[in-house]
Amino acid sequence: MTAGRLLDHLTSRGDDPALLTADRRVSYRELADDVAASASDLGSQRRLVLLECRNDIETLVSYLGALAGGHVVIPLPADGDHAAVIDTYDPDVIVRGGSMEHRHRAAHDLHPDLALLLSTSGSTGSPKLVRLSRNNLIANAESIATYLDIRDTDRAATTLPMSYCYGLSVIHSHLLRGAGLILTDHSVVDDEFWDLMARHRGTTFAGVPHTFDLLHRIGFGDMQLPHLRYVTQAGGRLAPDRVRRFAQLGRRRGWQLFVMYGATEATARMAYLPPELAVDNPHAIGVPIPGGTFDIEVLEGEPVDGMPADVGELVYRGAGVMMGYAHDRDDLAAGRTVAALRTGDLARRNSNGLYEVVGRISRFAKLYGLRLDLERIEASLRDADVSAICTEGDGELLVAAADRPAGCDVGLVATTASGLPRAAVRVLDVDELPRLPTGKPDLHGVRQLADRIRSDDGVALDLRGLFADVLHLDAASIDDGASFVDLGGNSLSYVSMSVRLERAIGHLPADWQRLPLRELEAASRPRRWWGTTLETSVALRAIAIVLVVGSHAGLYTLWGGAHVLLGIAGYNFGRFCLTPLPRLQRARHLRNTIAWIAVPSVAWVAIALLGTNDYTAANLLLANKFLGPSDSVTAGRLWFVEVVVWILVTLALVCWTPIGDRLERRAPFAFAMGFLTLGLVVRFHGFGMGHAAWFTVVAFWFFAIGWAASKASTTLQRLAVTLMLAVGIVGYFGNPRRELLVFVGLALLIWLPAVRCPSIVTVTAGVLAEASLVIYLTHYQVYPLFGEHRLLGVTSTLLTGVVLTQLLMMARRRIRVRGIRHVNSRTASPAPR
């Protein structure tokens, strides 16, 4: 397809959907018009265009506009360091976020066939680029579209960067067939990604091995995806057991798994494994793509011990093979310099005709006169349950190791596997294995880490220890791919974690509670001088509990704090209980959250019953509103705890059922809004309710407001929740000032995720918010001790709650540590003799 024919192709698809996002639908005809305008902006003289890429409409239009105008494009990740590429190639135009920076008149000598310059996955940030022609792009896209049987009804989600050859191949092949692209930068662990897949009836998405690790962790097998046709995998070797597991899952669910093999130097794909063969041949890369062929060439030079005779270097020939590499501007004028691609992979052809890659030529190192197979050493470490990357550096074997079992000597395992003396093996303890943006091992990053440790003793964040301390877990059991939510974090431990995490890494990343530990460590940056980040829910929780205590003690009259707390409870329910985890795991999280609230509450009521007349036996069951007596002076003192516990119990049962779980996952915002609507109907006595026994049900809509707010991801959705809040709050208390206070508090929860404030404010708010439950439980018994000294009574109540909370946390931590020690003592292996 020539540059001129690109616009004709887009126009020919008419009103079929081309691009789909969270808030836009762009037809092929509209896309053609936008691409033509972008091409016009670049001018008629052929230019070298550096494009900073995001998975959005503006970037894609700029990319296609450059191709349509016959220009040469260098796609690079947005926000990356492109200084080396810019200095080496001096692009005429730099495109960022849809805006063009024309730097000077075109002065480059560009070969007429050249269309694209891509960074290889192994040289991120390097000026070494792969030169690809228009014929490379078209031929590879046609081949991929053929073996995947891409149809104009398909909708592909952009799970990979547009600057990466795999991500770009998804775009090329689907546009070639007139299919739709669901443009998103969301990860597969985000609810928003699956919302888009459901809304736009997504039929496919692509993944690298790390993507499939995430899918396994979030319970992908339980998701209902009725429109999914196929899933593709490339970007590195997927473990055979994972291949088999996902292939079997696809068979059960009616979609296909395509395991693929490729390289930037081949435009993208070189081989694919037919889905029907994946279960029985999970080690294989499959067969060459249509139009391509493989040869296996015997290696010259010194043989490697243990290498079978039928193994050799895999050599690929086909229309997708690159024109050659570019190292500087002069190379842009060169024609084809490569006829066949020597992949550097060691492979063999099995008896069934399928090809299998068994190693890398470049993964061999020569140390102390020994030729070492680094992949075999890594396999030995995996057998010892150690995740590791091995490479050569400064005359020694570098082993970056993570997730080692307790008591495992990584150096000894590597020494035994390599045959090297122990002094030649250097172990680098890491919380996260260095990887490139594509998910492949970052060997250069391992060498840099070794150099950095030499210079500064390798001081690193101990976020695993922080998670273990807050969540009362064994640090050794925490996977660096797990998030706060995965590890059982809830609304109570969340407060402590958010404050301590902000102090540890200098800021709070968006949606940090769902980010893997390794990403949180990578997100560390210096603290801003003007303050720290305080999440709005934490700030509101602290303010609300102070309002509750002060109003009850008579220090002031500002009612409504408890109803704000009820909204926050719903907000945290949506964030920490309704996560992408499997159904049974979500149910366990809900059970634990209920226990965190109910157990201390019942314990305090039991203590209070021993020395006061404040409560009755009904309070022990947290059921005073149901069982009475309703005429007791203290009957309603624990109403907030009762409401929260019984709402959580009810919703736990709803979400535990397969149908409730399925509906919530399919449309989380609509599901929450449905319950909010039901709550408002009850609030206006739609079912004739109003008796004190139904107080929990009547107050439910405050909880539902917070729940819906946590699932609102667009401006329109937040407006809808705000409107429902306004409808429900007017006249609810018969006190305009109280209604305004609650409205403002919950509106802030809906619209303002976080605020920046001095560190002392963040710490104080965090401490009060963390202690809010215990403060609420104990304040009725504490402030009366101070009589008319109301300020002293309120201050003492808050301090008492904080101290008791810390004691409770210490007790939980001690119990947990004893449990871990008991388990370890029972499972410890005897020392070798």
Side-chain angles (χ1 to χ4, degrees), residues 59-77:
T59 300
L60 185 55
V61 167
S62 297
Y63 172 69
L64 295 176
L67 291 185
H71 305 286
V72 178
V73 188
I74 309 176
L76 294 173

Side-chain angles (χ1 to χ4, degrees), residues 224-293:
Q224 299 300 315
L225 300 167
H227 305 289
L228 188 63
R229 279 211 314 123
Y230 59 94
V231 176
T232 63
Q233 182 273 320
R237 182 175 183 269
L238 186 62
D241 62 326
R242 279 285 162 87
V243 172
R244 184 179 288 111
R245 188 179 307 142
F246 276 92
Q248 290 171 335
L249 175 64
R251 285 183 180 180
R252 294 195 302 270
R253 292 304 184 94
W255 50 265
Q256 295 180 310
L257 174 68
F258 282 85
V259 175
M260 307 186 300
Y261 167 80
T264 308
E265 291 85 347
T267 305
R269 303 278 70 80
M270 291 183 281
Y272 75 100
L273 180 61
E276 63 274 13
L277 304 179
V279 171
D280 296 325
N281 302 274
H283 296 81
I285 62 170
V287 297
I289 65 173
T293 61

Side-chain angles (χ1 to χ4, degrees), residues 150-231:
I150 298 176
R151 308 165 187 173
D152 58 7
T153 54
D154 278 319
R155 304 288 181 267
T158 55
T159 46
L160 301 167
M162 195 183 301
S163 54
Y164 175 31
C165 71
Y166 186 9
L168 208 52
S169 73
V170 172
I171 292 171
H172 291 160
S173 56
H174 284 79
L175 290 180
L176 184 68
R177 286 290 192 264
L181 294 171
I182 304 172
L183 296 180
T184 177
D185 276 320
H186 283 296
S187 165
V188 294
V189 300
D190 297 329
D191 290 341
E192 292 83 356
F193 175 82
W194 300 109
D195 290 346
L196 286 173
M197 281 287 287
R199 186 190 319 169
H200 296 308
R201 300 189 174 190
T203 60
T204 180
F205 62 90
V208 296
H210 181 56
T211 308
F212 288 81
D213 291 341
L214 296 176
L215 291 174
H216 178 68
R217 180 158 58 85
I218 66 174
F220 175 70
D222 294 328
M223 292 185 181
Q224 299 300 315
L225 300 167
H227 305 289
L228 188 63
R229 279 211 314 123
Y230 59 94
V231 176

Side-chain angles (χ1 to χ4, degrees), residues 463-487:
L463 292 191
R464 182 179 273 106
L466 180 57
F467 270 54
D469 187 48
V470 172
L471 297 174
H472 309 154
L473 299 173
D474 180 9
S477 70
I478 298 178
D479 189 317
D480 69 350
S483 70
F484 176 78
V485 170
D486 296 335
L487 296 170

Side-chain angles (χ1 to χ4, degrees), residues 361-441:
I361 296 175
S362 61
R363 295 306 316 280
F364 289 88
K366 193 161 187 177
L367 294 169
Y368 287 74
L370 300 174
R371 193 173 186 210
L372 308 175
D373 183 343
L374 300 180
E375 288 194 348
R376 290 180 64 184
I377 298 173
E378 290 173 356
S380 297
L381 288 163
R382 280 196 301 273
D383 291 342
D385 294 327
V386 179
S387 299
I389 296 175
C390 298
T391 189
E392 179 185 6
D394 291 335
E396 58 188 356
L397 176 65
L398 302 178
V399 181
D403 301 329
R404 68 167 72 184
C408 177
D409 187 340
V410 175
L412 178 62
V413 175
T415 298
T416 303
S418 65
L420 291 170
R422 182 65 180 83
V425 177
R426 184 170 174 216
V427 178
L428 309 173
D429 285 313
V430 295
D431 293 326
E432 155 187 12
L433 294 180
R435 295 192 182 277
L436 298 166
T438 59
K440 293 184 178 181

Side-chain angles (χ1 to χ4, degrees), residues 656-672:
W656 177 78
T657 63
I659 186 171
D661 179 77
R662 186 163 55 250
L663 291 174
E664 195 283 327
R665 291 180 191 274
R666 184 173 298 174
F669 177 72
F671 193 73

